[in-house]
Amino acid sequence: MFSIFKSNPTKRLNKLLSIKLEQAMQAQRNGDIRTYSQLSFEADEIDKQITKIEMQNRQT
């Protein structure tokens, strides 16, 4: 009934994902491969969280 007042967790995670990917791209352009790989790994983990939440929402 009050689902319009619930915050959307995927919206926050998508924003965080886009920030991480942007930071990773900048690190790669600057030649900092170690930071690039760390940020890419973090972005991948965020993407997995988004996928998990979306799968849970589809099942309900």
Side-chain angles (χ1 to χ4, degrees):
M1 179 174 169
F2 293 104
S3 64
I4 60 170
F5 298 114
K6 286 185 178 180
S7 63
N8 187 355
T10 57
K11 184 177 180 181
R12 181 183 59 85
L13 288 173
N14 279 325
K15 185 174 182 178
L16 184 60
L17 176 63
S18 98
I19 290 170
K20 289 289 181 187
L21 290 173
E22 179 72 26
Q23 290 173 344
M25 180 188 66
Q26 291 300 324
Q28 185 181 27
R29 284 185 178 175
N30 291 332
D32 191 357
I33 301 304
R34 186 170 295 183
T35 303
Y36 166 74
S37 63
Q38 179 64 33
L39 290 169
S40 295
F41 176 77
E42 291 173 12
D44 187 49
E45 293 298 315
I46 293 169
D47 189 45
K48 288 178 185 176
Q49 289 177 359
I50 292 170
T51 304
K52 182 179 176 183
I53 291 170
E54 288 176 348
M55 292 300 287
Q56 287 175 349
N57 288 341
R58 289 182 186 157
Q59 292 176 354
T60 59

Short mmCIF file of all heavy atoms in Angstrom, two decimals:
data_model
loop_
_atom_site.label_atom_id
_atom_site.label_comp_id
_atom_site.label_asym_id
_atom_site.label_seq_id
_atom_site.Cartn_x
_atom_site.Cartn_y
_atom_site.Cartn_z
N MET A 1 0.82 -1.19 0.00
CA MET A 1 0.00 0.00 0.00
C MET A 1 0.86 1.26 0.00
O MET A 1 0.56 2.21 -0.69
CB MET A 1 -0.92 -0.03 1.21
CG MET A 1 -1.81 1.18 1.32
SD MET A 1 -2.94 0.96 2.66
CE MET A 1 -3.60 2.57 2.76
N PHE A 2 1.91 1.24 0.78
CA PHE A 2 2.77 2.41 0.86
C PHE A 2 4.07 2.20 0.10
O PHE A 2 5.11 2.73 0.47
CB PHE A 2 3.07 2.74 2.33
CG PHE A 2 1.86 3.20 3.08
CD1 PHE A 2 1.21 2.37 3.96
CD2 PHE A 2 1.37 4.48 2.88
CE1 PHE A 2 0.10 2.79 4.64
CE2 PHE A 2 0.26 4.92 3.56
CZ PHE A 2 -0.39 4.08 4.44
N SER A 3 4.03 1.45 -0.96
CA SER A 3 5.24 1.16 -1.73
C SER A 3 5.79 2.41 -2.43
O SER A 3 6.96 2.44 -2.78
CB SER A 3 4.98 0.07 -2.74
OG SER A 3 4.04 0.50 -3.69
N ILE A 4 4.96 3.43 -2.59
CA ILE A 4 5.45 4.65 -3.24
C ILE A 4 6.42 5.41 -2.33
O ILE A 4 7.20 6.22 -2.77
CB ILE A 4 4.31 5.59 -3.68
CG1 ILE A 4 3.47 6.03 -2.49
CG2 ILE A 4 3.47 4.94 -4.74
CD1 ILE A 4 2.47 7.12 -2.82
N PHE A 5 6.38 5.10 -1.02
CA PHE A 5 7.26 5.77 -0.08
C PHE A 5 8.57 5.02 0.14
O PHE A 5 9.47 5.53 0.78
CB PHE A 5 6.57 5.97 1.26
CG PHE A 5 5.35 6.86 1.15
CD1 PHE A 5 4.10 6.34 1.38
CD2 PHE A 5 5.46 8.19 0.79
CE1 PHE A 5 2.97 7.15 1.29
CE2 PHE A 5 4.36 9.00 0.68
CZ PHE A 5 3.10 8.48 0.93
N LYS A 6 8.67 3.81 -0.39
CA LYS A 6 9.90 3.04 -0.24
C LYS A 6 10.96 3.59 -1.19
O LYS A 6 10.67 3.96 -2.31
CB LYS A 6 9.67 1.57 -0.59
CG LYS A 6 8.91 0.80 0.44
CD LYS A 6 8.85 -0.66 0.05
CE LYS A 6 8.13 -1.47 1.09
NZ LYS A 6 8.08 -2.88 0.71
N SER A 7 12.18 3.64 -0.69
CA SER A 7 13.26 4.07 -1.57
C SER A 7 13.67 2.91 -2.46
O SER A 7 13.57 1.74 -2.09
CB SER A 7 14.46 4.55 -0.75
OG SER A 7 14.98 3.48 0.02
N ASN A 8 14.15 3.25 -3.62
CA ASN A 8 14.57 2.24 -4.58
C ASN A 8 16.06 1.97 -4.39
O ASN A 8 16.89 2.82 -4.74
CB ASN A 8 14.28 2.74 -6.00
CG ASN A 8 14.53 1.69 -7.03
OD1 ASN A 8 15.00 0.60 -6.73
ND2 ASN A 8 14.22 2.02 -8.27
N PRO A 9 16.44 0.82 -3.85
CA PRO A 9 17.86 0.57 -3.60
C PRO A 9 18.68 0.45 -4.88
O PRO A 9 19.86 0.77 -4.88
CB PRO A 9 17.86 -0.75 -2.82
CG PRO A 9 16.58 -1.41 -3.16
CD PRO A 9 15.61 -0.30 -3.44
N THR A 10 18.07 0.04 -5.97
CA THR A 10 18.83 -0.09 -7.21
C THR A 10 19.19 1.27 -7.78
O THR A 10 20.22 1.40 -8.45
CB THR A 10 18.07 -0.92 -8.26
OG1 THR A 10 16.81 -0.31 -8.51
CG2 THR A 10 17.89 -2.34 -7.81
N LYS A 11 18.39 2.27 -7.52
CA LYS A 11 18.69 3.61 -8.02
C LYS A 11 19.99 4.12 -7.41
O LYS A 11 20.86 4.65 -8.11
CB LYS A 11 17.55 4.56 -7.70
CG LYS A 11 17.72 5.95 -8.25
CD LYS A 11 16.51 6.80 -7.95
CE LYS A 11 16.69 8.20 -8.50
NZ LYS A 11 15.54 9.05 -8.19
N ARG A 12 20.16 3.94 -6.12
CA ARG A 12 21.37 4.36 -5.43
C ARG A 12 22.57 3.55 -5.92
O ARG A 12 23.64 4.11 -6.19
CB ARG A 12 21.21 4.18 -3.92
CG ARG A 12 22.42 4.62 -3.12
CD ARG A 12 22.23 4.37 -1.64
NE ARG A 12 21.99 2.98 -1.32
CZ ARG A 12 22.96 2.08 -1.14
NH1 ARG A 12 24.21 2.42 -1.26
NH2 ARG A 12 22.67 0.83 -0.84
N LEU A 13 22.38 2.25 -6.08
CA LEU A 13 23.47 1.39 -6.54
C LEU A 13 23.87 1.70 -7.98
O LEU A 13 25.05 1.65 -8.32
CB LEU A 13 23.10 -0.08 -6.38
CG LEU A 13 23.06 -0.60 -4.94
CD1 LEU A 13 22.50 -2.02 -4.90
CD2 LEU A 13 24.42 -0.55 -4.31
N ASN A 14 22.90 2.00 -8.83
CA ASN A 14 23.22 2.36 -10.22
C ASN A 14 24.04 3.64 -10.28
O ASN A 14 24.96 3.76 -11.09
CB ASN A 14 21.95 2.51 -11.04
CG ASN A 14 21.40 1.19 -11.51
OD1 ASN A 14 22.15 0.29 -11.81
ND2 ASN A 14 20.09 1.10 -11.57
N LYS A 15 23.71 4.60 -9.42
CA LYS A 15 24.47 5.84 -9.37
C LYS A 15 25.90 5.56 -8.91
O LYS A 15 26.86 6.08 -9.48
CB LYS A 15 23.80 6.84 -8.44
CG LYS A 15 24.43 8.18 -8.43
CD LYS A 15 23.64 9.17 -7.61
CE LYS A 15 24.30 10.54 -7.65
NZ LYS A 15 23.54 11.52 -6.90
N LEU A 16 26.04 4.73 -7.87
CA LEU A 16 27.36 4.37 -7.36
C LEU A 16 28.15 3.61 -8.43
O LEU A 16 29.35 3.83 -8.59
CB LEU A 16 27.21 3.53 -6.09
CG LEU A 16 28.49 3.13 -5.37
CD1 LEU A 16 29.26 4.37 -4.93
CD2 LEU A 16 28.16 2.27 -4.17
N LEU A 17 27.48 2.74 -9.17
CA LEU A 17 28.14 1.98 -10.24
C LEU A 17 28.68 2.91 -11.31
O LEU A 17 29.82 2.76 -11.75
CB LEU A 17 27.15 0.98 -10.85
CG LEU A 17 27.66 0.18 -12.04
CD1 LEU A 17 28.83 -0.71 -11.64
CD2 LEU A 17 26.53 -0.66 -12.62
N SER A 18 27.89 3.88 -11.71
CA SER A 18 28.36 4.79 -12.75
C SER A 18 29.54 5.63 -12.26
O SER A 18 30.46 5.91 -13.03
CB SER A 18 27.21 5.66 -13.25
OG SER A 18 27.18 6.91 -12.68
N ILE A 19 29.55 5.99 -10.99
CA ILE A 19 30.68 6.74 -10.43
C ILE A 19 31.94 5.88 -10.43
O ILE A 19 33.02 6.34 -10.83
CB ILE A 19 30.35 7.23 -9.01
CG1 ILE A 19 29.29 8.33 -9.06
CG2 ILE A 19 31.60 7.73 -8.29
CD1 ILE A 19 28.71 8.71 -7.72
N LYS A 20 31.82 4.62 -10.01
CA LYS A 20 32.97 3.72 -9.98
C LYS A 20 33.53 3.48 -11.39
O LYS A 20 34.74 3.46 -11.59
CB LYS A 20 32.60 2.37 -9.35
CG LYS A 20 32.37 2.42 -7.88
CD LYS A 20 33.65 2.62 -7.12
CE LYS A 20 33.36 2.63 -5.64
NZ LYS A 20 34.54 2.99 -4.86
N LEU A 21 32.64 3.30 -12.35
CA LEU A 21 33.10 3.07 -13.72
C LEU A 21 33.80 4.30 -14.29
O LEU A 21 34.80 4.19 -15.01
CB LEU A 21 31.92 2.66 -14.61
CG LEU A 21 31.35 1.27 -14.35
CD1 LEU A 21 30.08 1.06 -15.16
CD2 LEU A 21 32.38 0.20 -14.64
N GLU A 22 33.30 5.48 -13.95
CA GLU A 22 33.94 6.72 -14.39
C GLU A 22 35.33 6.86 -13.76
O GLU A 22 36.30 7.20 -14.45
CB GLU A 22 33.07 7.92 -14.00
CG GLU A 22 33.65 9.26 -14.38
CD GLU A 22 33.62 9.53 -15.87
OE1 GLU A 22 32.76 8.98 -16.56
OE2 GLU A 22 34.48 10.32 -16.33
N GLN A 23 35.43 6.55 -12.46
CA GLN A 23 36.72 6.62 -11.79
C GLN A 23 37.69 5.60 -12.39
O GLN A 23 38.89 5.90 -12.56
CB GLN A 23 36.57 6.36 -10.29
CG GLN A 23 35.87 7.47 -9.55
CD GLN A 23 35.57 7.10 -8.10
OE1 GLN A 23 35.62 5.92 -7.72
NE2 GLN A 23 35.26 8.09 -7.30
N ALA A 24 37.20 4.42 -12.71
CA ALA A 24 38.04 3.38 -13.30
C ALA A 24 38.55 3.83 -14.66
O ALA A 24 39.72 3.63 -14.99
CB ALA A 24 37.27 2.07 -13.41
N MET A 25 37.69 4.45 -15.44
CA MET A 25 38.09 4.92 -16.76
C MET A 25 39.18 5.98 -16.63
O MET A 25 40.18 5.96 -17.37
CB MET A 25 36.90 5.50 -17.52
CG MET A 25 37.25 6.01 -18.90
SD MET A 25 35.92 6.90 -19.70
CE MET A 25 35.76 8.34 -18.65
N GLN A 26 39.03 6.89 -15.68
CA GLN A 26 40.03 7.93 -15.48
C GLN A 26 41.36 7.34 -15.03
O GLN A 26 42.43 7.77 -15.47
CB GLN A 26 39.54 8.97 -14.46
CG GLN A 26 38.41 9.83 -14.95
CD GLN A 26 38.76 10.62 -16.19
OE1 GLN A 26 39.88 11.08 -16.35
NE2 GLN A 26 37.79 10.77 -17.09
N ALA A 27 41.30 6.33 -14.15
CA ALA A 27 42.53 5.68 -13.69
C ALA A 27 43.23 4.98 -14.85
O ALA A 27 44.45 5.02 -14.96
CB ALA A 27 42.20 4.68 -12.57
N GLN A 28 42.45 4.34 -15.72
CA GLN A 28 43.03 3.65 -16.87
C GLN A 28 43.68 4.66 -17.82
O GLN A 28 44.78 4.42 -18.33
CB GLN A 28 41.95 2.86 -17.60
CG GLN A 28 42.49 2.02 -18.74
CD GLN A 28 41.38 1.27 -19.47
OE1 GLN A 28 40.24 1.70 -19.48
NE2 GLN A 28 41.73 0.15 -20.06
N ARG A 29 43.04 5.77 -18.04
CA ARG A 29 43.61 6.80 -18.92
C ARG A 29 44.91 7.37 -18.36
O ARG A 29 45.79 7.76 -19.12
CB ARG A 29 42.61 7.93 -19.12
CG ARG A 29 41.50 7.59 -20.06
CD ARG A 29 40.62 8.77 -20.29
NE ARG A 29 39.58 8.46 -21.25
CZ ARG A 29 38.60 9.28 -21.57
NH1 ARG A 29 38.52 10.46 -21.00
NH2 ARG A 29 37.69 8.91 -22.44
N ASN A 30 44.99 7.43 -17.02
CA ASN A 30 46.19 7.96 -16.39
C ASN A 30 47.28 6.90 -16.27
O ASN A 30 48.37 7.20 -15.78
CB ASN A 30 45.86 8.52 -15.01
CG ASN A 30 45.02 9.77 -15.09
OD1 ASN A 30 45.08 10.50 -16.06
ND2 ASN A 30 44.22 10.01 -14.07
N GLY A 31 47.00 5.68 -16.67
CA GLY A 31 47.99 4.61 -16.64
C GLY A 31 48.11 3.93 -15.29
O GLY A 31 49.06 3.18 -15.07
N ASP A 32 47.17 4.17 -14.39
CA ASP A 32 47.20 3.55 -13.06
C ASP A 32 46.39 2.25 -13.11
O ASP A 32 45.22 2.21 -12.75
CB ASP A 32 46.62 4.52 -12.03
CG ASP A 32 46.84 4.06 -10.61
OD1 ASP A 32 47.38 2.97 -10.41
OD2 ASP A 32 46.45 4.81 -9.69
N ILE A 33 47.03 1.20 -13.55
CA ILE A 33 46.34 -0.07 -13.79
C ILE A 33 45.89 -0.72 -12.49
O ILE A 33 44.83 -1.34 -12.43
CB ILE A 33 47.24 -1.03 -14.60
CG1 ILE A 33 47.63 -0.39 -15.94
CG2 ILE A 33 46.57 -2.37 -14.83
CD1 ILE A 33 46.46 0.04 -16.79
N ARG A 34 46.66 -0.57 -11.43
CA ARG A 34 46.28 -1.16 -10.14
C ARG A 34 44.97 -0.56 -9.62
O ARG A 34 44.07 -1.28 -9.21
CB ARG A 34 47.40 -0.95 -9.12
CG ARG A 34 47.13 -1.66 -7.82
CD ARG A 34 48.32 -1.64 -6.94
NE ARG A 34 49.35 -2.44 -7.64
CZ ARG A 34 50.53 -2.72 -7.16
NH1 ARG A 34 50.87 -2.26 -5.99
NH2 ARG A 34 51.38 -3.45 -7.84
N THR A 35 44.87 0.76 -9.66
CA THR A 35 43.64 1.42 -9.23
C THR A 35 42.49 1.08 -10.17
O THR A 35 41.36 0.85 -9.73
CB THR A 35 43.83 2.95 -9.18
OG1 THR A 35 44.93 3.24 -8.31
CG2 THR A 35 42.60 3.66 -8.68
N TYR A 36 42.79 1.01 -11.46
CA TYR A 36 41.76 0.64 -12.44
C TYR A 36 41.18 -0.74 -12.14
O TYR A 36 39.97 -0.93 -12.14
CB TYR A 36 42.35 0.66 -13.86
CG TYR A 36 41.47 -0.02 -14.87
CD1 TYR A 36 40.30 0.57 -15.32
CD2 TYR A 36 41.80 -1.28 -15.37
CE1 TYR A 36 39.48 -0.06 -16.25
CE2 TYR A 36 41.00 -1.91 -16.30
CZ TYR A 36 39.84 -1.30 -16.73
OH TYR A 36 39.04 -1.93 -17.64
N SER A 37 42.06 -1.69 -11.85
CA SER A 37 41.57 -3.05 -11.59
C SER A 37 40.78 -3.11 -10.28
O SER A 37 39.77 -3.81 -10.19
CB SER A 37 42.71 -4.06 -11.57
OG SER A 37 43.61 -3.77 -10.54
N GLN A 38 41.19 -2.34 -9.27
CA GLN A 38 40.46 -2.31 -8.01
C GLN A 38 39.07 -1.71 -8.20
O GLN A 38 38.07 -2.24 -7.72
CB GLN A 38 41.24 -1.53 -6.95
CG GLN A 38 40.55 -1.41 -5.61
CD GLN A 38 40.35 -2.76 -4.93
OE1 GLN A 38 41.17 -3.65 -5.06
NE2 GLN A 38 39.26 -2.89 -4.22
N LEU A 39 39.00 -0.59 -8.90
CA LEU A 39 37.72 0.07 -9.14
C LEU A 39 36.82 -0.80 -10.03
O LEU A 39 35.60 -0.84 -9.82
CB LEU A 39 37.94 1.43 -9.77
CG LEU A 39 38.55 2.49 -8.84
CD1 LEU A 39 38.97 3.70 -9.64
CD2 LEU A 39 37.59 2.87 -7.74
N SER A 40 37.40 -1.49 -11.00
CA SER A 40 36.61 -2.38 -11.84
C SER A 40 36.03 -3.54 -11.03
O SER A 40 34.87 -3.94 -11.24
CB SER A 40 37.46 -2.93 -12.98
OG SER A 40 37.84 -1.90 -13.83
N PHE A 41 36.82 -4.06 -10.11
CA PHE A 41 36.34 -5.13 -9.24
C PHE A 41 35.19 -4.63 -8.37
O PHE A 41 34.16 -5.31 -8.24
CB PHE A 41 37.48 -5.64 -8.35
CG PHE A 41 37.05 -6.68 -7.36
CD1 PHE A 41 36.83 -7.99 -7.76
CD2 PHE A 41 36.85 -6.35 -6.03
CE1 PHE A 41 36.42 -8.94 -6.85
CE2 PHE A 41 36.44 -7.29 -5.11
CZ PHE A 41 36.23 -8.59 -5.53
N GLU A 42 35.33 -3.43 -7.80
CA GLU A 42 34.26 -2.87 -6.98
C GLU A 42 33.00 -2.64 -7.81
O GLU A 42 31.88 -2.90 -7.34
CB GLU A 42 34.72 -1.56 -6.34
CG GLU A 42 35.80 -1.74 -5.29
CD GLU A 42 36.37 -0.43 -4.79
OE1 GLU A 42 35.80 0.64 -5.09
OE2 GLU A 42 37.39 -0.48 -4.08
N ALA A 43 33.16 -2.17 -9.03
CA ALA A 43 32.01 -1.96 -9.92
C ALA A 43 31.33 -3.28 -10.23
O ALA A 43 30.10 -3.35 -10.29
CB ALA A 43 32.46 -1.27 -11.20
N ASP A 44 32.11 -4.33 -10.42
CA ASP A 44 31.54 -5.65 -10.69
C ASP A 44 30.73 -6.15 -9.50
O ASP A 44 29.65 -6.72 -9.66
CB ASP A 44 32.65 -6.64 -11.04
CG ASP A 44 32.11 -7.97 -11.48
OD1 ASP A 44 31.21 -7.98 -12.36
OD2 ASP A 44 32.58 -9.00 -10.96
N GLU A 45 31.23 -5.91 -8.29
CA GLU A 45 30.50 -6.32 -7.08
C GLU A 45 29.19 -5.55 -6.94
O GLU A 45 28.17 -6.13 -6.57
CB GLU A 45 31.37 -6.11 -5.83
CG GLU A 45 32.58 -7.02 -5.77
CD GLU A 45 32.20 -8.49 -5.70
OE1 GLU A 45 31.30 -8.86 -4.93
OE2 GLU A 45 32.80 -9.28 -6.46
N ILE A 46 29.21 -4.28 -7.26
CA ILE A 46 27.99 -3.47 -7.20
C ILE A 46 26.99 -3.98 -8.24
O ILE A 46 25.79 -4.09 -7.96
CB ILE A 46 28.32 -1.98 -7.43
CG1 ILE A 46 29.14 -1.45 -6.25
CG2 ILE A 46 27.04 -1.16 -7.60
CD1 ILE A 46 29.74 -0.09 -6.48
N ASP A 47 27.48 -4.33 -9.43
CA ASP A 47 26.61 -4.86 -10.47
C ASP A 47 25.97 -6.18 -10.03
O ASP A 47 24.79 -6.43 -10.31
CB ASP A 47 27.39 -5.05 -11.76
CG ASP A 47 26.51 -5.40 -12.92
OD1 ASP A 47 25.45 -4.75 -13.08
OD2 ASP A 47 26.87 -6.31 -13.69
N LYS A 48 26.72 -7.00 -9.33
CA LYS A 48 26.16 -8.26 -8.81
C LYS A 48 25.06 -7.98 -7.79
O LYS A 48 24.04 -8.68 -7.76
CB LYS A 48 27.26 -9.11 -8.19
CG LYS A 48 28.19 -9.72 -9.19
CD LYS A 48 29.30 -10.51 -8.52
CE LYS A 48 30.31 -11.04 -9.52
NZ LYS A 48 31.43 -11.73 -8.87
N GLN A 49 25.25 -6.97 -6.96
CA GLN A 49 24.22 -6.60 -5.97
C GLN A 49 22.96 -6.13 -6.67
O GLN A 49 21.84 -6.49 -6.27
CB GLN A 49 24.73 -5.50 -5.04
CG GLN A 49 25.78 -5.93 -4.07
CD GLN A 49 26.29 -4.77 -3.23
OE1 GLN A 49 25.86 -3.62 -3.40
NE2 GLN A 49 27.21 -5.06 -2.33
N ILE A 50 23.12 -5.33 -7.71
CA ILE A 50 21.96 -4.83 -8.46
C ILE A 50 21.21 -5.99 -9.08
O ILE A 50 19.98 -6.06 -9.01
CB ILE A 50 22.42 -3.82 -9.54
CG1 ILE A 50 22.95 -2.56 -8.89
CG2 ILE A 50 21.28 -3.51 -10.50
CD1 ILE A 50 23.64 -1.61 -9.86
N THR A 51 21.93 -6.91 -9.69
CA THR A 51 21.31 -8.08 -10.31
C THR A 51 20.55 -8.91 -9.29
O THR A 51 19.43 -9.36 -9.54
CB THR A 51 22.38 -8.94 -11.01
OG1 THR A 51 23.08 -8.14 -11.94
CG2 THR A 51 21.74 -10.12 -11.72
N LYS A 52 21.14 -9.09 -8.12
CA LYS A 52 20.51 -9.87 -7.07
C LYS A 52 19.20 -9.22 -6.61
O LYS A 52 18.18 -9.88 -6.45
CB LYS A 52 21.47 -10.02 -5.89
CG LYS A 52 20.94 -10.84 -4.76
CD LYS A 52 21.98 -10.94 -3.64
CE LYS A 52 21.42 -11.70 -2.46
NZ LYS A 52 22.39 -11.73 -1.34
N ILE A 53 19.22 -7.90 -6.42
CA ILE A 53 18.02 -7.19 -5.99
C ILE A 53 16.94 -7.24 -7.06
O ILE A 53 15.77 -7.47 -6.75
CB ILE A 53 18.37 -5.72 -5.64
CG1 ILE A 53 19.21 -5.68 -4.37
CG2 ILE A 53 17.11 -4.89 -5.47
CD1 ILE A 53 19.80 -4.32 -4.07
N GLU A 54 17.34 -7.08 -8.33
CA GLU A 54 16.36 -7.14 -9.40
C GLU A 54 15.74 -8.53 -9.53
O GLU A 54 14.54 -8.65 -9.81
CB GLU A 54 17.00 -6.73 -10.72
CG GLU A 54 17.29 -5.24 -10.79
CD GLU A 54 18.02 -4.84 -12.05
OE1 GLU A 54 18.52 -5.73 -12.78
OE2 GLU A 54 18.09 -3.62 -12.29
N MET A 55 16.52 -9.57 -9.31
CA MET A 55 15.98 -10.93 -9.36
C MET A 55 14.99 -11.16 -8.22
O MET A 55 13.96 -11.81 -8.40
CB MET A 55 17.10 -11.96 -9.31
CG MET A 55 17.97 -11.98 -10.55
SD MET A 55 17.06 -12.35 -12.06
CE MET A 55 16.77 -14.08 -11.82
N GLN A 56 15.29 -10.63 -7.05
CA GLN A 56 14.39 -10.77 -5.91
C GLN A 56 13.08 -10.03 -6.17
O GLN A 56 12.00 -10.50 -5.81
CB GLN A 56 15.04 -10.24 -4.64
CG GLN A 56 16.12 -11.12 -4.09
CD GLN A 56 16.84 -10.49 -2.90
OE1 GLN A 56 16.66 -9.32 -2.60
NE2 GLN A 56 17.64 -11.28 -2.24
N ASN A 57 13.17 -8.85 -6.81
CA ASN A 57 11.96 -8.07 -7.10
C ASN A 57 11.09 -8.76 -8.16
O ASN A 57 9.87 -8.64 -8.12
CB ASN A 57 12.34 -6.66 -7.58
CG ASN A 57 12.86 -5.82 -6.45
OD1 ASN A 57 12.64 -6.11 -5.27
ND2 ASN A 57 13.57 -4.76 -6.79
N ARG A 58 11.71 -9.48 -9.08
CA ARG A 58 10.94 -10.18 -10.10
C ARG A 58 10.19 -11.38 -9.54
O ARG A 58 9.14 -11.75 -10.05
CB ARG A 58 11.85 -10.65 -11.23
CG ARG A 58 12.35 -9.53 -12.09
CD ARG A 58 13.19 -10.04 -13.20
NE ARG A 58 13.79 -8.92 -13.92
CZ ARG A 58 14.88 -9.01 -14.63
NH1 ARG A 58 15.51 -10.17 -14.76
NH2 ARG A 58 15.36 -7.94 -15.24
N GLN A 59 10.74 -11.97 -8.50
CA GLN A 59 10.12 -13.15 -7.92
C GLN A 59 8.91 -12.80 -7.06
O GLN A 59 8.04 -13.63 -6.85
CB GLN A 59 11.13 -13.94 -7.09
CG GLN A 59 12.20 -14.57 -7.93
CD GLN A 59 13.26 -15.28 -7.09
OE1 GLN A 59 13.24 -15.20 -5.88
NE2 GLN A 59 14.18 -15.96 -7.77
N THR A 60 8.84 -11.57 -6.59
CA THR A 60 7.70 -11.19 -5.74
C THR A 60 6.60 -10.60 -6.53
O THR A 60 6.63 -10.29 -7.63
CB THR A 60 8.14 -10.17 -4.65
OG1 THR A 60 8.68 -9.02 -5.28
CG2 THR A 60 9.14 -10.80 -3.73
#
